[in-house]
Amino acid sequence: IVLLVPVIPFFTVPLVWTLTNVIHNLAMYLFLHTVKGTPFETPDQGKARLLTHWEQMDYGVQFTSSRKFLTISPIVLYILASFYTKYDPTHFLINTGSLLSVLLPKLPLFHGVRLFGINKY
């Protein structure tokens, strides 16, 4: 869907970059920080079913190369979106909020934390 956004004739370049950034971050948030469990049988006797994909990645070890890549990619997209929107305040706030919503759950401080009991079970 992100590849289809630039070809819509009514969308301006800043809107396309903001939508691309928001859609990417929303998808990454849903797939990495919301979905729990594994799609296959694991030998951990059900411990993984309570963890999100981000918490299961690399057996919970922080700052591995795969985690660094998945942390850097939304930052690079944010910088590109901010540049191509010419730092317009509205787009800048939307892009910053989107970036924070996907970066904060990646911090080691939030490993295993469920805010307000959401996604607890």
Side-chain angles (χ1 to χ4, degrees):
I1 191 164
V2 174
L3 295 175
L4 296 177
V5 174
V7 298
I8 299 174
F10 304 108
F11 288 179
T12 61
V13 171
L15 182 61
V16 166
W17 275 99
T18 299
L19 283 176
T20 302
N21 187 31
V22 169
I23 291 170
H24 174 269
N25 288 342
L26 180 66
M28 288 295 106
Y29 179 79
L30 290 175
F31 292 131
L32 290 178
H33 303 291
T34 303
V35 178
K36 294 165 89 173
T38 57
F40 47 85
E41 187 68 33
T42 58
D44 64 358
Q45 298 188 4
K47 292 179 186 173
R49 70 180 179 86
L50 298 175
L51 298 175
T52 63
H53 182 68
W54 180 261
E55 294 164 346
Q56 294 176 40
M57 192 183 316
D58 298 328
Y59 302 104
V61 177
Q62 301 293 325
F63 305 116
T64 59
S65 58
S66 57
R67 285 182 182 236
K68 287 178 184 178
F69 174 77
L70 290 171
T71 302
I72 293 295
S73 58
I75 295 172
V76 170
L77 186 59
Y78 170 77
I79 292 170
L80 287 171
S82 296
F83 175 76
Y84 283 109
T85 59
K86 298 184 173 107
Y87 303 99
D88 178 62
T90 305
H91 292 283
F92 191 75
L93 285 174
I94 293 170
N95 288 327
T96 302
S98 177
L99 177 70
L100 290 177
S101 71
V102 80
L103 277 187
L104 289 178
K106 288 178 173 43
L107 294 175
L109 173 71
F110 290 113
H111 184 80
V113 174
R114 305 292 181 256
L115 295 178
F116 310 114
I118 298 172
N119 204 13
K120 186 176 179 181
Y121 301 108

